Amino acid sequence: MLQPVVLSGGAGTRLWPLSTPERPKQFLPLVEERPMIVATIERLDGLDAATPIIVCAQIHGDIVRTEAPSARLILEPDGRSTAPAIAVAALSVDPDDVLLVLPSDHLIEDGDAFRAAVRRAVTAAEDGNLVTFGITPTGPATGYGYVRPGEPIDGVRIVDSFAEKPDLETARRYVEEGYLWNSGMFAFTAATFLEELAAHRPRMLATVRAALVDGDLDPEAWAAVPSESVDYAVMEPTDRAVVIALDAGWDDVGSWDSLADLTPTDVAGSTFVGDVVAIDVEESYVRTTGPTVAISGVSDLIVVATEKAVLVVPRGESQRVRELLEQLRED
């Protein structure tokens, strides 16, 4: 059985109840007038898939239930990254089920191409492979990891290697050499994933098992689970990884720059969301869910204001938000 597992984090958790006529200001839409998690689930239509499992933060549980009332929810007391989240889902289904792991913050324009790739991935997963979906690059992006495809085997290609987010020069070389963007979408049977997790991260698997009690996660036990991405924990060390190329108008709304590239602009190339007063602002993205933002005579900026903080970075530099957060923690 094809079992979708939706990982609800990042932009996918920017939800608001569609049934509420006046949504709170902090839930202004990011890309379209529906939550991205809803679009992720609707994209599965036609695949004969089981009811989705959604792994999300406990604090988002009520609103996720509002938007996806038929889904099965697994609520994390706190985030432990993608490998433990997938492990919980794998331990909650039949071992032979094929898990289709989908982040909730992706845009995919060509649903037919996506579903065709999923069907190929299911076949490869049933043969014992761990499948990653590699995106055909549209340019030398520095905000994505990369996958180097190797020899073809049974309609897919062996993964030669994974690469971290590169600098621009390295990204250009990757594109020239046929690398694919690492999408963060995967397919594998529950049994295969758990076998590889046991081989490469036995402590993680043991602590996840201990935390999963009658279908729920015990907060105290969950706190002992190591936090690590599925790429590092399983996909990179395994020798069973294969890649399927996907060309379906994909975008990962994982940074303010990518969001700015996806939203409509005015004649000066700028986007304003929320209570913004702007004069002579070019090629900028300005968004506020907090105070009024007044801005004048600037270009190529990302400005994001909330009730608690304001972010100002040059366009193209929003990936450095993590560095800013680390500095804030140190201070």
Side-chain angles (χ1 to χ4, degrees):
M1 177 180 292
L2 177 60
Q3 175 61 69
V5 177
V6 178
L7 306 181
S8 181
T13 62
R14 300 296 293 170
L15 305 173
W16 56 89
L18 297 182
S19 57
T20 303
E22 295 183 2
R23 55 179 169 261
K25 188 164 62 170
Q26 66 267 30
F27 292 122
L28 289 171
L30 285 177
V31 180
E32 53 186 9
E33 283 293 326
R34 60 176 176 171
M36 297 181 75
I37 195 169
V38 173
T40 301
I41 293 171
E42 291 178 352
R43 198 174 296 133
L44 300 168
D45 289 349
L47 283 175
D48 192 25
T51 299
I53 294 173
I54 299 176
V55 185
C56 69
Q58 201 166 55
I59 60 172
H60 294 131
D62 289 344
I63 201 164
V64 171
R65 285 191 185 94
T66 300
E67 298 305 335
S70 63
R72 176 183 173 189
L73 266 58
I74 296 176
L75 302 179
E76 296 180 289
D78 60 86
R80 312 306 294 161
S81 197
T82 52
I86 296 169
V88 172
L91 291 168
S92 304
V93 300
D94 188 282
D96 292 331
D97 285 350
V98 174
L99 304 183
L100 175 63
V101 179
L102 303 172
S104 63
D105 55 357
H106 289 184
L107 292 178
I108 295 179
E109 295 178 0
D110 190 341
D112 290 337
F114 166 76
R115 287 182 284 273
V118 169
R119 293 184 183 100
R120 291 171 57 201
V122 169
T123 299
E126 290 174 339
D127 289 338
N129 299 298
L130 290 91
V131 183
T132 186
F133 294 85
I135 305 300
T136 304
T138 57
T142 60
Y144 303 134
Y146 284 73
V147 181
R148 182 178 182 179
E151 293 296 318
I153 177 174
D154 298 330
V156 297
R157 296 181 70 175
I158 295 172
V159 172
D160 265 0
S161 61
F162 291 89
E164 297 294 330
K165 296 174 181 177
D167 57 32
L168 185 57
E169 183 179 347
T170 304
R172 289 195 181 104
R173 177 170 61 83
Y174 285 166
V175 173
E176 291 172 358
E177 294 179 1
Y179 282 62
L180 303 170
W181 289 338
N182 186 1
S183 72
M185 298 185 292
F186 307 97
F188 29 66
T189 67
T192 300
F193 177 79
L194 293 174
E195 287 170 11
E196 292 301 294
L197 190 63
H200 302 290
R201 297 294 188 273
R203 178 172 174 267
M204 180 182 291
L205 179 56
T207 52
V208 170
R209 286 187 188 277
L212 188 60
V213 180
D214 297 328
D216 295 321
L217 293 172
D218 176 78
E220 185 174 345
W222 184 248
V225 176
S227 178
E228 192 172 21
S229 75
V230 66
D231 298 271
Y232 290 140
V234 173
M235 297 305 294
E236 292 189 13
T238 186
D239 59 2
R240 300 163 76 175
V242 300
V243 60
I244 291 177
L246 175 62
D247 187 359
W250 174 92
D251 204 300
D252 170 15
V253 189
S255 73
W256 291 110
D257 280 304
S258 62
L259 180 59
D261 291 338
L262 291 167
T263 50
T265 64
D266 62 14
V267 292
S270 292
T271 300
F272 307 112
V273 182
D275 193 2
V276 178
V277 178
I279 300 173
D280 296 331
V281 177
E282 298 179 345
E283 303 294 334
S284 295
Y285 182 89
V286 185
R287 176 190 182 91
T288 177
T289 57
T292 299
V293 171
I295 185 167
S296 175
V298 299
S299 61
D300 297 307
L301 286 182
I302 300 286
V303 179
V304 181
T306 70
E307 293 182 355
K308 294 184 177 181
V310 178
L311 170 73
V312 181
V313 292
R315 191 102 176 233
E317 295 288 330
S318 69
Q319 291 287 342
R320 302 188 68 181
V321 169
R322 287 185 182 179
E323 296 177 39
L324 292 171
L325 289 173
E326 288 301 322
Q327 186 64 53
L328 286 169
R329 291 190 184 101
E330 290 178 10
D331 293 345

